[in-house]
């Protein structure tokens, strides 16, 4: 079975500071990994994904994440936070060996202060 | 990518009543998915809906409580039946993209009073 752990239900940063949202996963086979963002009163939007190939993946809005197999991690980063980044972020995993459902982490609310 | 429209976007319902949520996709898709997001929680898959067959429900969800219709390749409905306050959640419709990612509707924010 696959699972996702997101460390910290809330992360607070100042505008311009580094954003780091942590995600660890477990999967019995090579995973597909995703980060989604949910703005208030909206659905989920895909930020970025890792399937195969380069382990550092870049997404929209300046976010990137690095797949580290040895650490079973897929942390999300952004060098400089903007007020508009305030939202909830979900890490998700899918079994990459064939069809499987997405398993989501509990989410991390990013708060950005001026 | 797929564009998914969900209706209603929000509703406040009396306990004991039922609400049907509609999901329309701008392209034909084989499978559609329904998720529940309870307050402060992550997304939990309710069921997978294939056109022309019964929906497949995840553990803890039953057809009598969450009947699903899938009349064609672009449309699905989820009904939340005999509602109680514990059913207050965001309900999300989703489809799969070609590269394994999922696309989501805006969600239906349901409050049961």
């Amino acid at each position: 079975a696959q699972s996702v752990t997101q460390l910290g239900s809330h992360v607070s940063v100042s505008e311009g500071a580094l954003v780091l949202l942590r995600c660890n996963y477990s999967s019995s086979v090579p995973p597909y990994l995703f980060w989604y963002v949910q703005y208030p009163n909206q659905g989920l939007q895909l930020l970025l994904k890792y399937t195969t190939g380069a382990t550092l993946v870049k997404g929209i809005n300046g976010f990137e994440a690095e797949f580290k197999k040895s650490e079973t991690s897929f942390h999300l980063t952004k060098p400089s936070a903007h007020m508009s980044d305030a939202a909830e972020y979900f890490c998700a995993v899918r079994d990459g060996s064939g069809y499987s459902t997405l398993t989501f982490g509990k989410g991390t609310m990013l708060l950005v202060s001026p | 990518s797929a564009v998914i429209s969900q209706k209603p976007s929000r509703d406040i319902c009396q306990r004991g009543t039922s609400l049907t949520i509609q999901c329309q996709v701008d392209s034909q898709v084989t499978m559609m998915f329904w998720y529940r997001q309870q307050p402060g929680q992550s997304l939990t898959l309710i069921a997978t809906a294939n056109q022309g067959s019964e929906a497949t429900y995840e553990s803890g969800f039953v057809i009598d409580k969450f009947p699903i219709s899938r009349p064609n390749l672009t449309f699905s409905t989820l009904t939340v039946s005999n509602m109680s306050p514990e059913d207050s959640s965001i309900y999300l419709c989703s489809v799969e993209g070609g590269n394994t990612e999922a696309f989501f509707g805006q969600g239906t924010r349901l409050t049961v009073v």
Side-chain angles (χ1 to χ4, degrees), chain A residues 36 38 41-42 49 94 105, chain B residues 37 42 96 99-102:
Chain A
Y36 286 87
Q38 185 177 36
N41 298 314
Q42 295 191 26
K49 65 183 179 187
R94 181 197 299 279
Chain B
Q37 185 181 14
S42 186
E96 302 277 297
N99 284 326
T100 74
E101 67 263 35

Side-chain angles (χ1 to χ4, degrees), chain B:
Chain B
S1 66
V3 177
I4 303 170
S5 302
Q6 253 184 265
K7 292 192 295 186
S9 59
R10 61 179 65 241
D11 208 340
I12 301 173
C13 299
Q14 297 291 322
R15 66 179 68 199
T17 63
S18 298
L19 175 72
T20 295
I21 302 167
Q22 299 180 4
C23 179
Q24 179 76 51
V25 188
D26 68 343
S27 57
Q28 293 184 339
V29 293
T30 305
M31 291 186 286
M32 296 177 75
F33 304 85
W34 288 99
Y35 287 84
R36 181 176 71 183
Q37 185 181 14
Q38 293 179 299
Q41 301 294 317
S42 186
L43 281 75
T44 301
L45 182 64
I46 297 171
T48 303
N50 290 318
Q51 193 267 335
S53 64
E54 290 273 335
T56 302
Y57 289 83
E58 298 299 307
S59 175
F61 298 96
V62 295
I63 188 171
D64 289 347
K65 176 66 176 177
F66 297 101
I68 287 171
S69 78
R70 183 77 202 275
N72 58 53
L73 291 173
T74 63
F75 187 78
S76 178
T77 67
L78 169 76
T79 298
V80 186
S81 303
N82 188 25
M83 289 183 286
S84 67
E86 292 70 35
D87 294 319
S88 298
S89 294
I90 301 172
Y91 292 86
L92 293 143
C93 173
S94 171
V95 302
E96 302 277 297
N99 284 326
T100 74
E101 67 263 35
F103 299 99
F104 291 85
Q106 298 278 73
T108 296
R109 283 149 183 81
L110 171 62
T111 302
V112 183
V113 297

Side-chain angles (χ1 to χ4, degrees), chain A residues 19-21 35 47-48 63-65 74-78 89:
Chain A
V19 175
L20 171 60
L21 305 182
W35 276 100
L47 267 181
L48 50 77
F63 285 93
E64 61 183 38
F74 192 57
H75 302 330
L76 182 70
T77 61
K78 181 174 180 177
Y89 292 79

